[in-house]
Amino acid sequence: MFSNAGHHSVTKIVSCGLAIAFAVAIGSASRSLVAQDLAAQAPVSQTAFADTIVPFMENHCTMCHGESDGEGGVNLASLSSAEAIRSNTELWETVIRLVSERQMPPSDEVQPGDEEIASLVKAVHSELAAIDCAGVSAPGRVTIRRLNRAEYNNTIRDLLGVDFRPADDFPADDVGNGFDNIGDVLSMPTLLLEKYLGAAEQIVDRVWLDIELRERIYSSLPDEPVAKVEAIRVAFRKFADRAFRRPVGDEEFARLFRVMEFAFSQGASEEQILKTGIQAVLVSPHFLFRAESDQGEGAVDGIRPLSDWELATRLSYFLWSSMPDETLFELARSGQLHEPQTLIQQVERMLDDVKSRALVDNFAGQWLQLRELSRLTPDAEKFPQFDDALRQSMRRETELFFETLLKEDRSILEFLNADFSFVNQRLANHYGIEGVEGDEFQRIGLGAGRRGVLTQASILMLTSNPTRTSPVKRGKWVLENILGEPPPPPPAGVVQLEEGAEVLGTLRERMEQHRTNPTCASCHKRMDTIGFGLENFDPIGAWRSEDGKQSIDPSGDLGGGVTFAGPAELMEILLEQKSEAFARCLAKKMLTYALGRGVTSSDRCAVNTIMDDLQKNDYRFQTLVKGIVLSEPFLYRQAKDKE
Amino acid sequence: MGSTSAFSRRAALRGLGLSLGLPLLPSLATKSVRAASAETSNIPRRMAFIFVPNGVHVPDWTPQQTGFGYELPFTLQPLAGVRESVSVLSGLTHDRGRANGDGAGDHARSASVFLTGSQPRKTDGANIRSGISVDQIGAQKLGHLTRFPSLELGCERGQGAGNCDSGYSCAYSSNISWASSSMPVGKEVDPRLAFERLFAGGKKSDVDASQGQRLALRRSILDYVADDAKTLQTKLSGNDQRKMDEYLTSVREIERRVERSRLSNDAVLPNHGIEYPVPQGVPSDYAEHMRLMCDMVVLAFQTDSTRIATLMFANAGSNRPYKNLDVPDGHHELSHHGGDARKHAKIRKINQFHIAQLAYLLQRLRSIPEGDGTLLDHSMICYGSGLSDGDRHNHDNLPLLLCGGGGGEITSGRHIRYEGETPVCNLFLSMLDIMGAPTDWMGDSTGRLSGLKV
């Protein structure tokens, strides 16, 4: 591999020169702007590519990352042209981040010099900057989404007025990209369809028990048979429109109505007939899935704006995890919803609505992993004070905190450094805060040690083991969920470090092994340092200055002269140096959740636009939400699957 | 008692099937495949697979001697009462559980590879991909013979957030049954729901004249939604179409079941003279939970509601503490023992605790007479982990047990040591043969596993 490198680079350069020439030659009329850009930039960036990027890769990277099954699944040898960088921006951003942080190459390999790194970063940056956001449209494609459990419960509640959470008995929804609303991952096993059928029966039974609910669908039917059938037809069609979240077509409705006609032919009672129709709607794919057709109108180059009906549905499932309400339907009917000003007003209205609690439960619950709290059982002997009430209070604190930042439209950077939070008496006792009484949560100012969400008991507990803290878990959690800079996985075959137990030395002393082993050091240096900065918090998030007989040392050195004495200073450093990384991380997570698909390189322009808006508006939370709703991937759809 | 009613019910079913023009059920399905006594050959064979996470403490698992009469190692001691029905299979490997270039994530892989023998695609988002699992191969071939093609059970719900292991989707960690390479089969964790699903309407009194009409209406709903899905499918492409395929597959499966329950009148438990209290949801005691799930397997097999089951005692990488065993540490955390003897001691306690639940299942199966033997004699229970040592994360020499007589096709009570790197999938091929559902290959199989019968 290595010895062939020179030869390879020659063929690469030749072949990519050809590729560019070819691209220029065939640039279609509609994309001629892009083609011209390429023509204008290609020679320059191609030189940087050949002079800087290729040699760096060959000297420092491709020995391990040079096969289709390269280390960590990363293959940098297939890089054939500068174009490859543009088509996988996520990867290349990770490459330059890891190289400039000196996490890669591992410290037991030959290290690149500072200048070498600087020119690589510059070359890749100029390549990334050359991406023309105005010229290329790439909204991506969201796979048809099945309602997940939360969405099903809420939709049934809003459609029929029964609120008994039938989906709580459904099998858990599978998770992809960190969320359980990802179209590609949500499957439809037989067990689940069976549950939908059973739930539909239970639901209509409940509706029929309540005259008021029943009359919301069928009110005062006439006695005369012909008129009655007509009234049923009209009422049922209205119901189907709402359930399918769009006007149902004539032929489509005729087929639906036939289910009731069949029931009639079987001698079923009137009640049974009406119930059967509703059941059919509730297990129809048009109800259970949020489908966006490939045959919509207005497509240009295979990309089309979503219809207002589709938009209403995207919006309501994003902010409410439920179906659109009458206001959204009305705006769709009148064709106004897609207007930016209307969308902004609707976002504000919807966030004000109590239903936006769903964003806390489902987005925050998964981004910050609060849902996991219910699965954890800290050791009862070490933590006799822990009980379910405390667990609930921990979760509630973080939920209220998130909700407050959102509803008061505060800066999202307060996730890192807010000097306030919410406690009830139970949690106040846990934190050692005096003067808070009762079960009600109240807003309080924080003392010296705690700042932002990372010092809340919920996060501290879910990044611990049952008997002890895990600085590695905490550090890794911060890198993954707060900074969006996940460490690469440990190389295959690496021996796990003895992290626990009562061997000689403090946890910190034992973890120093991570630094002495060069394979581990490159990544663990940051991870462990951040984790140790939080060591003043025990596995259930209470403050401590000692762990057993050892006193806690929460200081750390992040390299480059950046040091901190304890958790509050660590948060200040994150704020000063990592605001943008955090904002970008949160923006990508929320975009993932809003779209129901993973964010990819092709979303780079959309994310950059959202980031620009955020920076201009003091990182206000609602600016982020609006930016997502107004982004191209949210408003448009690539009509045909490329496959 | 069990055998006669099971047999006559099947005979009745078959008769009805013919008169209604249903596809002819294979006559006493697997007679030709095996050479057992006439009595035994009438009795269906069953197979179940039980998964435990995080590997085991190997030195306390593997017997010193091979062949019959080996000394039970610490972990396997709860099996003393049923040891003649248990074989330890050493040396088998799931090569596709290894990184093979995909880096970390052995825990996720250990579950997804367990019954598929397929390399899972490393993704926590789109395009999850593994392979069809042995139980589902069997279910697709034999499922038409019973009310349920297969039963999927577990004791832990799928994880609710995050990628579950080093970039692998949680789907890999929380499922062992895969209906196709892209579709894990959801599992039931609530014993009450599992019971109701198996035996809903199980009381004679529930079955009245309106039942027929209800089923007819259900059918018409299914017809309608299948139509809808097909129409919708024409407007979609790519992944969207595949999702509609999944939906249609499930609709057809339920249609078949509606048809079958129309034929069988559904009073399953009373027909078998079985009294079993409806379970009350997930019990707080974990052992009780596992035993209830084992009961569901036993009831399903006993009533011939299905012949194939999978059960995950816990999900891959489970970090549950075992306070009842005086082990407050999380299981996954402990499994990274780093050679610490105290951790080994805790791990083997957990291993033994799981084995004790298996012993319970085997005893239950053995307590049910069937033909000239017991239900256990006609079953195959494959128990094990997709990891060998939780610290080394190795996928060779996996801890695997094969229990039950397989209708006379398995000589149990032995420790069999196979040559290293023998694929676990070879065992699966042999099990499928015994089930009467032979297939040419699956996963990374290279042939049949020899020596199961002597």
Side-chain angles (χ1 to χ4, degrees), chain A residues 530-600:
Chain A
I530 294 173
F532 278 111
L534 296 167
E535 269 295 273
N536 274 131
F537 304 102
D538 75 6
I540 56 171
W543 183 268
R544 63 180 183 181
S545 41
E546 273 134 40
D547 180 14
K549 290 177 197 133
Q550 323 278 3
S551 63
I552 299 277
D553 171 10
S555 68
D557 180 351
L558 284 160
V562 181
T563 60
F564 58 87
E569 281 186 30
L570 171 60
M571 295 308 131
E572 279 311 309
I573 291 172
L574 292 182
L575 184 74
E576 280 163 25
Q577 308 206 338
K578 288 293 180 184
S579 293
E580 175 167 352
F582 166 69
R584 189 174 284 272
C585 171
L586 177 55
K588 283 184 178 178
K589 301 249 178 205
M590 198 172 237
L591 186 61
T592 301
Y593 176 82
L595 296 175
R597 67 164 170 82
V599 169
T600 69

Side-chain angles (χ1 to χ4, degrees), chain A residues 12 100 108 174 190 195 206 225 238 245 262 326 341 361 375 407 419 491 495 546 598 614 629 631 634 636:
Chain A
K12 268 178 209 159
S100 47
D108 51 350
D174 282 318
T190 311
K195 302 265 184 189
R206 294 219 179 195
K238 244 189 186 156
R245 303 170 283 264
F262 175 80
E326 205 36 55
Q341 216 39 48
D361 289 343
R375 304 162 66 97
K407 294 216 161 166
D419 58 1
V495 180
E546 273 134 40
L614 266 177
V629 167
S631 73
F634 195 88
Y636 289 80

Side-chain angles (χ1 to χ4, degrees), chain B residues 27-265:
Chain B
S27 159
L28 296 174
T30 50
K31 201 196 251 168
S32 57
V33 187
R34 44 200 156 110
S37 74
E39 170 68 2
T40 319
S41 68
N42 291 338
I43 294 173
R45 293 166 179 184
R46 285 77 150 203
M47 63 177 179
F49 300 86
I50 299 176
F51 173 87
V52 286
N54 302 330
V56 298
H57 183 50
V58 179
D60 279 318
W61 170 280
T62 314
Q64 298 289 319
Q65 311 86 355
T66 55
F68 291 102
Y70 60 84
E71 197 180 322
L72 282 174
F74 174 84
T75 303
L76 303 182
Q77 279 167 10
L79 295 167
V82 285
R83 60 174 301 156
E84 73 283 0
S85 300
V86 178
S87 285
V88 184
L89 309 183
S90 304
L92 300 183
T93 296
H94 262 317
D95 176 58
R96 304 288 162 83
R98 291 170 172 147
N100 294 320
D102 290 345
D106 286 291
H107 283 280
R109 284 194 297 264
S110 80
S112 71
V113 79
F114 186 58
L115 300 184
T116 64
S118 300
Q119 192 85 30
R121 177 182 292 166
K122 191 162 201 172
T123 168
D124 67 350
N127 302 331
I128 50 167
R129 189 133 312 222
S130 174
I132 186 169
S133 55
V134 52
D135 57 305
Q136 294 302 304
I137 294 176
Q140 285 168 16
K141 295 196 178 210
L142 305 170
H144 60 284
L145 297 169
T146 50
R147 292 188 307 127
F148 294 86
S150 60
L151 185 63
E152 292 76 29
L153 302 171
C155 295
E156 289 177 350
R157 264 192 202 283
Q159 175 143 345
N163 83 51
C164 275
D165 184 5
S166 314
Y168 283 101
S169 161
C170 297
Y172 294 124
S173 299
S174 53
N175 292 292
I176 51 175
S177 290
W178 289 71
S180 72
S181 59
S182 61
M183 190 165 156
V185 184
K187 65 182 195 285
E188 187 63 83
V189 298
D190 183 333
R192 176 179 65 84
L193 297 174
F195 182 86
E196 285 175 353
R197 176 161 183 249
L198 279 169
F199 306 114
K203 296 190 204 87
K204 250 310 188 228
S205 54
D206 294 347
V207 184
D208 54 27
S210 72
Q211 177 92 339
Q213 188 192 67
R214 226 185 98 231
L215 291 175
L217 295 185
R218 214 172 222 222
R219 271 217 77 127
S220 80
I221 290 176
L222 291 170
D223 284 347
Y224 156 72
V225 298
D227 258 13
D228 243 14
K230 282 179 213 149
T231 321
L232 182 54
Q233 206 167 21
T234 61
K235 297 182 189 161
L236 305 171
S237 60
N239 276 349
D240 291 350
Q241 283 195 341
R242 280 194 283 282
K243 291 286 157 193
M244 277 303 106
D245 276 341
E246 285 179 10
Y247 180 89
L248 278 166
T249 307
S250 292
V251 169
R252 278 191 284 267
E253 169 51 31
I254 293 176
E255 278 179 335
R256 273 198 296 273
R257 197 169 307 156
V258 170
E259 197 54 42
R260 266 175 262 148
S261 60
R262 199 157 69 90
L263 300 176
S264 67
N265 241 0

Side-chain angles (χ1 to χ4, degrees), chain A residues 141 144 168 170 175-177 184-188 190 194-195 201 255 283-286 294 372 377 379 641, chain B residues 124-126 157 160-161 169 183 188 197 218 220 228 235 237-240 243 246-247 250 257 321 328 333:
Chain A
R141 208 183 132 77
I144 189 170
D168 288 359
F170 295 178
V175 174
N177 304 106
D184 273 320
V185 177
L186 288 165
S187 60
M188 177 66 88
T190 311
E194 236 175 88
K195 302 265 184 189
E201 282 178 18
R255 279 195 302 112
V283 288
S284 162
H286 294 292
D294 281 343
E372 294 309 303
T377 27
D379 182 25
D641 207 339
Chain B
D124 67 350
R157 264 192 202 283
S169 161
M183 190 165 156
E188 187 63 83
R197 176 161 183 249
R218 214 172 222 222
S220 80
D228 243 14
K235 297 182 189 161
S237 60
N239 276 349
D240 291 350
K243 291 286 157 193
E246 285 179 10
Y247 180 89
S250 292
R257 197 169 307 156
E333 177 201 352

